[in-house]
Amino acid sequence: MLSILVKNLYLSCDPYMRSRMSKSQGSYTPGSPIAGLAVAKVLDSGHSSFKKGDLVWGGTEWEEYSIINAPETLIKIEHTDVPLSYYTGILVGNVNLKLGSYNSRRFKAAPHLSTQEQQFSSQMEQVQNKQIILKDYVNGFPKESDMLITSSTIHLSLPEGSNAVLLKNLYLSCDPYMRGRMSESKGSYVDSFTPGSPIEGLGVAKVVDSTHSNFKKGDLVWGGTRWEEYCIINDPQILFKIQDTDVPLSYYTGILGMPGMTAYVGFYEICAPKKGEYVFVSAAAGAVGQLVGQFAKLSGCYVVGSAGTKEKVDLLKSKFGFDEAFNYKEERDLEAALKRYFPDGIDIYFENVGGKMLEAVLPNMRFNGRISACGMISQYNEQGDGVRNLVHIVTKSLRMQGFIVSHYFPMYPKYMEMIMPLIKQGKICYIEDVVEGLESAPAALVGLFSGRNVGKQVVVVARE
Ligand SMILES: NC(=O)c1ccc[n+]([C@@H]2O[C@H](COP(=O)([O-])OP(=O)(O)OC[C@H]3O[C@@H](n4cnc5c(N)ncnc54)[C@H](OP(=O)(O)O)[C@@H]3O)[C@@H](O)[C@H]2O)c1
């Protein structure tokens, strides 16, 4: 832990702050405390250069208490026989030299505790809390180096009067939609991540403390959490309580969680499959695709999947029961490949990939075919080529429908009623690609975009 906890004493109002209020490199993050210069007292320190009681001046935030994750930007106050407030003015010298290395957008304290929580925090025993932080917005393909493994401290009790849950994260989910959140928001359906704060995502967790009436200590939950060992959720409506624990808990990141619901909604609700129909699934060996293929077989359909390695193609046929499968990376002509597997055409296309694959599918669709536009991962990091033959949608009376799974979460209990018996009776299987340790999460997330994962990508933070 390299952070320190400070109590702010004097804040400085400086003209340069005006420019940080406009949108530009180094601007403030709307919704977060203003960052500026101040005089402060160290209340707790995990950094060898500072100890409790030290007086400092430098970059902090406009709040009563702040956690500073980069305390090297602070200067220790040696002379206290002058008014302390002078360190916001006459005793500061050239502040810009220090500002260059302090940017609250990138090194913001996290988790972001309220003042009340911080007051409480200073009185209680702390534990270290490893976190994965997004350094800054990402362009193009994400890299491990876009994320930072860091550590802060957290108390394992919540302050009275809060309405929150404190979670210990067990399993974290790596999902393709997270790539969109790494970009600066441009009207997306989900907010961007906040650079300098822990990555947000779905996971399975245990409630360590709760001041919310719906949750109690020991409850297991899945839903929205953050990429850190422990986290405080002030909005626990985003969590589902786990009732059934005689299946692997990690399944709640996959088959029993968001990807499972996605396969269910995208296949049954959007495509309304009929026995004997011809189904094609792209990214078929992933978290969603492997289920769509099995649902198609359970519905009496003929199903073919595409994937990017021989290992995945073999799995599709030997494990998930696809009738056929092919490696799209080895096909020079995707349209011809699909013609080979579907001489009579495709009734249902479960679209995970977009771009060239969609262009190859359209001429192979049958009259009145349905396309479930679940995702288009080939376009998450680069725009790619346009689809030039959309006219097939007209001439073949195709229906192509997109969906966002969270809009269908009220159907979750219905899905559980269907899927749980299938798992327990061994009629459906689920493959996970499990990596150990929070520090493995950046590589696991990045790997989704090169097809490194075989099955649902899960990160184990703790097993209980
Ligand atoms: N609509 C919704 O609400 C919703 C919810 C969840 C997921 N989704 C979407 O569903 C799709 C599958 O998600 P998932 O969680 O199951 O992921 P996944 O399939 O487990 O992992 C992503 C896979 O996509 C393939 N891929 C990556 N880049 C590609 C490219 N440029 N071209 C072709 N294939 C590429 C890779 O497999 P290969 O080896 O086959 O290349 C990779 O393993 C994604 O598009 C995702 O955004 C949508």
Side-chain angles (χ1 to χ4, degrees):
M1 181 193 71
L2 296 174
S3 322
I4 63 171
L5 174 67
V6 299
K7 179 177 183 180
N8 290 312
L9 305 178
Y10 299 95
L11 297 178
S12 175
C13 295
D14 296 295
Y16 80 88
M17 298 170 80
R18 170 62 190 87
S19 64
R20 299 193 67 187
M21 292 173 153
S22 301
K23 197 170 172 187
S24 67
Q25 189 71 9
S27 51
Y28 291 134
T29 305
S32 294
I34 302 275
L37 294 165
V39 173
K41 188 172 195 167
V42 177
L43 295 187
D44 196 6
S45 173
H47 193 288
S48 56
S49 306
F50 298 91
K51 63 176 190 318
K52 188 174 170 181
D54 279 348
L55 288 164
V56 292
W57 77 266
T60 174
E61 286 178 331
W62 282 25
E63 52 193 352
E64 288 177 288
Y65 299 88
S66 299
I67 297 170
I68 309 289
N69 285 333
E72 319 57 75
T73 60
L74 296 174
I75 298 171
K76 259 202 260 188
I77 294 177
E78 308 293 349
H79 300 281
T80 53
D81 52 352
V82 288
L84 274 183
S85 56
Y86 276 19
Y87 289 91
T88 66
I90 186 170
L91 294 178
V92 160
N94 186 353
V95 296
N96 289 327
L97 287 175
K98 298 296 162 196
L99 280 174
S101 58
Y102 182 77
N103 181 344
S104 74
R105 198 168 138 233
R106 291 187 176 76
F107 297 108
K108 209 177 68 178
H112 211 86
L113 301 179
S114 68
T115 301
Q116 184 191 23
E117 286 164 344
Q118 290 181 356
Q119 278 169 339
F120 177 81
S121 292
S122 62
Q123 299 156 11
M124 298 291 296
E125 192 205 341
Q126 302 182 8
V127 295
Q128 283 211 350
N129 191 26
K130 215 184 289 169
Q131 303 170 311
I132 308 289
I133 280 173
L134 180 70
K135 287 188 197 162
D136 206 348
Y137 294 124
V138 171
N139 291 311
F141 280 80
K143 306 178 292 301
E144 277 182 66
S145 59
D146 292 325
M147 290 162 266
L148 182 73
I149 303 168
T150 182
S151 181
S152 97
T153 53
I154 192 166
H155 300 287
L156 297 187
S157 316
L158 290 164
E160 268 177 44
S162 59
N163 198 22
V165 292
L166 173 62
L167 299 181
K168 177 178 183 180
N169 286 317
L170 304 178
Y171 300 95
L172 294 176
S173 176
C174 295
D175 294 292
Y177 81 90
M178 296 169 78
R179 171 62 190 86
R181 301 194 66 187
M182 292 175 142
S183 299
E184 196 153 18
S185 183
K186 294 191 193 91
S188 170
Y189 70 102
V190 274
D191 292 339
S192 303
F193 293 136
T194 305
S197 292
I199 304 267
E200 293 167 24
L202 295 166
V204 173
K206 191 171 199 168
V207 175
V208 174
D209 193 15
S210 171
T211 47
H212 191 284
S213 55
N214 291 354
F215 299 91
K216 61 176 192 317
K217 188 173 169 177
D219 280 349
L220 289 163
V221 294
W222 76 266
T225 181
R226 288 190 296 265
W227 281 24
E228 48 191 347
E229 289 172 291
Y230 296 92
C231 78
I232 295 169
I233 304 287
N234 288 314
D235 187 20
Q237 309 62 300
I238 57 174
L239 297 173
F240 292 87
K241 251 198 260 190
I242 293 177
Q243 312 291 356
D244 213 322
T245 53
D246 55 354
V247 287
L249 271 184
S250 55
Y251 275 17
Y252 289 91
T253 67
I255 185 171
L256 297 176
M258 184 279 280
M261 270 295 286
T262 303
Y264 175 72
V265 168
F267 188 61
Y268 291 110
E269 291 296 309
I270 309 285
C271 295
K274 293 189 279 297
K275 190 173 173 191
E277 286 193 315
Y278 297 100
V279 177
F280 175 53
V281 187
S282 54
V288 175
Q290 59 174 300
L291 289 173
V292 177
Q294 294 181 80
F295 292 163
K297 285 318 295 172
L298 289 169
S299 306
C301 300
Y302 172 85
V303 60
V304 177
S306 66
T309 64
K310 179 177 182 317
E311 180 193 6
K312 292 185 188 184
V313 167
D314 291 344
L315 263 182
L316 291 177
K317 290 192 280 188
S318 63
K319 187 90 184 166
F320 304 129
F322 282 65
D323 295 288
E324 284 294 346
F326 64 92
N327 182 346
Y328 69 95
K329 289 181 180 165
E330 286 180 350
E331 297 290 343
R332 288 232 313 270
D333 182 343
L334 284 174
E335 186 181 330
L338 287 165
K339 184 83 191 154
R340 206 162 70 230
Y341 290 107
F342 295 100
D344 296 321
I346 299 167
D347 293 297
I348 291 175
Y349 173 40
F350 196 98
E351 166 70 298
N352 284 323
V353 161
K356 288 190 176 68
M357 187 61 92
L358 178 59
E359 191 166 280
V361 166
L362 285 168
N364 281 289
M365 291 298 292
R366 300 179 89 185
F367 196 75
N368 278 337
R370 286 89 72 205
I371 299 176
S372 181
C374 172
M376 298 196 178
I377 196 166
S378 72
Q379 289 167 19
Y380 295 175
N381 301 302
E382 53 191 354
Q383 203 163 14
D385 301 327
V387 177
R388 295 162 299 181
N389 54 2
L390 288 171
V391 70
H392 288 285
I393 295 179
V394 180
T395 56
K396 292 178 174 167
S397 293
L398 304 180
R399 180 164 59 78
M400 181 166 180
Q401 185 181 334
F403 67 99
I404 302 295
V405 66
S406 53
H407 300 165
Y408 292 81
F409 275 172
M411 294 179 71
Y412 182 62
K414 188 173 160 205
Y415 171 61
M416 287 295 276
E417 263 176 43
M418 180 200 101
I419 198 73
M420 206 50 121
L422 290 175
I423 295 173
K424 290 184 179 170
Q425 291 158 19
K427 292 188 175 153
I428 208 148
C429 67
Y430 201 63
I431 297 246
E432 297 176 320
D433 191 329
V434 179
V435 297
E436 297 286 333
L438 186 60
E439 54 285 351
S440 311
L445 177 59
V446 167
L448 294 178
F449 303 99
S450 58
R452 199 208 55 81
N453 62 307
V454 181
K456 169 68 206 169
Q457 185 65 67
V458 183
V459 178
V460 183
V461 183
R463 289 196 184 270
E464 78 161 61

